[in-house]
Amino acid sequence: MLNINDPTLTFMTMQQEGFKNSNPDYVGRFAPSPTGPLHFGSLVSAVASYLDAKANKGKWLVRIEDIDPKREPAGSSDKILHQLEKHGLFSDEKIIYQSKRSEAYLSALEKLEQCGLLFFCHCSRKLLEANHGIHSYPCLPEISSMPASRRLLAEKNIVIEFRDIFQGQQKQSIKEEVGDMVLYRKDKLFAYQLAVVIDDNFQKITHVIRGCDLLKITPRQIYLQKLLTLKTPTYGHIPIAINQKREKLSKQNLAASLDSRPAPKNLVRAINWLGLSVPDELSKTNHCSDLLMWAAGHWDNNKVPRLKEKTAS
Ligand code: GLU
């Protein structure tokens, strides 16, 4: 536990009082898809979103994005929640599960339908390959009795621009660079793009801090927010953690499990990776809460590496 006579603690308390960006309306979140246990890369996203929220004196929420059952091994959600707790990361509100939110997604689809923005589509990925996977209405002439997806008609001349906290100004043309996106899949599942936008709004998320692998799809989320007249949060995309072979750490390349090291050690590594430098004394602590408190007090957006990817050595 914290030792009252510890000089680090005095420093920590002073830093806490001096939190630079107090913003009580701040609501951040970590929204894992339960496709397997957390690894270092996902821990870094969880920690970055947590620290940015706490440095602002805001709330931090956890949302389980379990909308694709075929990709979700049994028990993964519980495993992730257990791993978060072990690292001292607790949601400030009840955890929501996307698998329970179908009605909200359906009602958003109905709204878009009423505006005449949805259409049924049979085009296969293979068929769209020649156009880099981008669908441009009308559909390619392929007669199919296969189930259809529902796509959102990309309107012409829509350019989405936003300023990312870490990656700077971003710009994307919806028709040319995104095309008609799938909102309801052929396999009768809601698309991530739809669910994430509806739930960020439902949970009143003001700040989305996540990995750079999602930077390119942010404009389409903003586009959806605009069509559904929802507020757009502030976005910040941190570098993604890669291995020595320059592959994104993932369950597929068997990124070393977080469970092979004590949680405080994982946290020290994640906090340092994000640009802070945990003092030697503190890095020996067995208490995740000490580390998180120190890091929230020292969190500085300017120190987060301005990179799209960074090696996790
Ligand atoms: N569920 C997504 C994932 O695990 C992240 C979604 C988000 O942060 O917007 O990759």
Side-chain angles (χ1 to χ4, degrees):
M1 277 328 282
L2 289 179
N3 169 2
I4 300 294
N5 300 316
D6 179 350
T8 334
L9 176 65
T10 320
F11 188 45
M12 201 156 64
T13 315
M14 282 162 47
Q15 284 291 331
Q16 263 182 290
E17 281 162 7
F19 274 21
K20 289 177 275 302
N21 312 310
S22 185
N23 170 7
D25 299 329
Y26 186 119
V27 186
R29 51 69 157 181
F30 175 57
S33 304
T35 50
L38 296 183
H39 50 76
F40 180 71
S42 34
L43 179 70
V44 158
S45 290
V47 169
S49 59
Y50 178 92
L51 293 179
D52 201 54
K54 296 299 163 183
N56 280 281
K57 294 211 159 103
K59 281 193 207 165
W60 182 75
L61 312 184
V62 175
R63 177 171 77 229
I64 298 290
E65 302 209 316
D66 52 348
I67 41 164
D68 195 350
K70 275 183 259 121
R71 294 183 56 227
E72 297 159 4
S76 294
S77 300
D78 287 346
K79 170 80 187 163
I80 289 175
L81 295 175
H82 179 69
Q83 285 178 303
L84 289 174
E85 285 175 14
K86 238 179 93 185
H87 289 83
L89 299 162
F90 296 91
S91 179
D92 289 319
E93 281 178 14
K94 197 164 163 248
I95 291 160
I96 73 164
Y97 290 79
Q98 289 193 323
S99 54
K100 307 252 156 56
R101 301 261 310 134
S102 301
E103 271 176 37
Y105 310 145
L106 204 54
S107 113
L109 278 184
E110 277 163 10
K111 254 193 208 165
L112 295 167
E113 168 90 82
Q114 279 158 19
C115 301
L117 288 172
L118 293 188
F119 64 93
F120 287 98
C121 169
H122 287 102
C123 296
S124 60
R125 266 186 209 190
K126 184 122 196 66
L127 210 58
L128 298 175
E129 259 169 28
N131 199 28
H132 310 288
I134 294 174
H135 190 284
S136 188
Y137 189 84
C139 291
L140 295 168
E142 188 195 48
I143 297 158
S144 169
S145 55
M146 295 288 283
S149 62
R150 308 211 70 189
R151 286 186 186 267
L152 175 74
L153 189 69
E155 294 165 297
K156 279 188 208 138
N157 304 326
I158 306 275
V159 175
I160 301 288
E161 280 194 66
F162 73 101
R163 189 163 183 78
D164 187 86
I165 301 176
F166 308 111
Q167 306 295 335
Q169 198 65 21
Q170 308 290 317
K171 188 174 171 180
Q172 209 171 48
S173 156
I174 294 296
K175 178 107 185 124
E176 287 75 24
E177 295 177 71
V178 177
D180 309 316
M181 57 177 141
V182 171
L183 295 186
Y184 190 68
R185 297 167 26 173
K186 283 180 186 169
D187 53 5
K188 299 191 175 359
L189 295 174
F190 294 100
Y192 153 73
Q193 308 297 349
L194 179 73
V196 76
V197 159
I198 299 305
D199 288 339
D200 280 340
N201 176 70
F202 176 67
Q203 296 191 289
K204 300 191 171 49
I205 302 299
T206 61
H207 290 72
V208 173
I209 307 293
R210 59 186 179 187
C212 250
D213 48 334
L214 300 172
L215 181 63
K216 276 269 171 291
I217 54 151
T218 302
R220 67 193 75 177
Q221 295 179 8
I222 297 177
Y223 179 49
L224 262 179
Q225 286 153 2
K226 293 200 183 308
L227 292 176
L228 292 164
T229 55
L230 308 176
K231 272 196 191 153
T232 293
T234 299
Y235 288 95
H237 289 84
I238 59 164
I240 54 165
I242 53 169
N243 65 17
Q244 300 291 350
K245 289 193 222 149
R246 303 208 56 212
E247 299 162 333
K248 180 190 168 195
L249 298 190
S250 68
K251 292 124 197 172
Q252 287 71 34
N253 62 28
L254 302 176
S257 160
L258 287 179
D259 303 336
S260 59
R261 288 198 211 194
K265 294 278 169 280
N266 290 329
L267 269 186
V268 169
R269 192 168 161 229
I271 292 166
N272 287 342
W273 193 91
L274 285 163
L276 296 182
S277 195
V278 177
D280 280 352
E281 259 324 287
L282 185 62
S283 67
K284 293 181 196 130
T285 181
N286 292 322
H287 300 283
C288 291
S289 53
D290 295 0
L291 289 162
L292 291 171
M293 211 191 287
W294 177 88
H298 290 78
W299 180 248
D300 181 353
N301 282 339
N302 296 314
K303 290 193 176 157
V304 175
R306 266 37 186 179
L307 298 169
K308 292 232 165 54
E309 42 183 49
K310 183 181 166 194
T311 316
S313 47

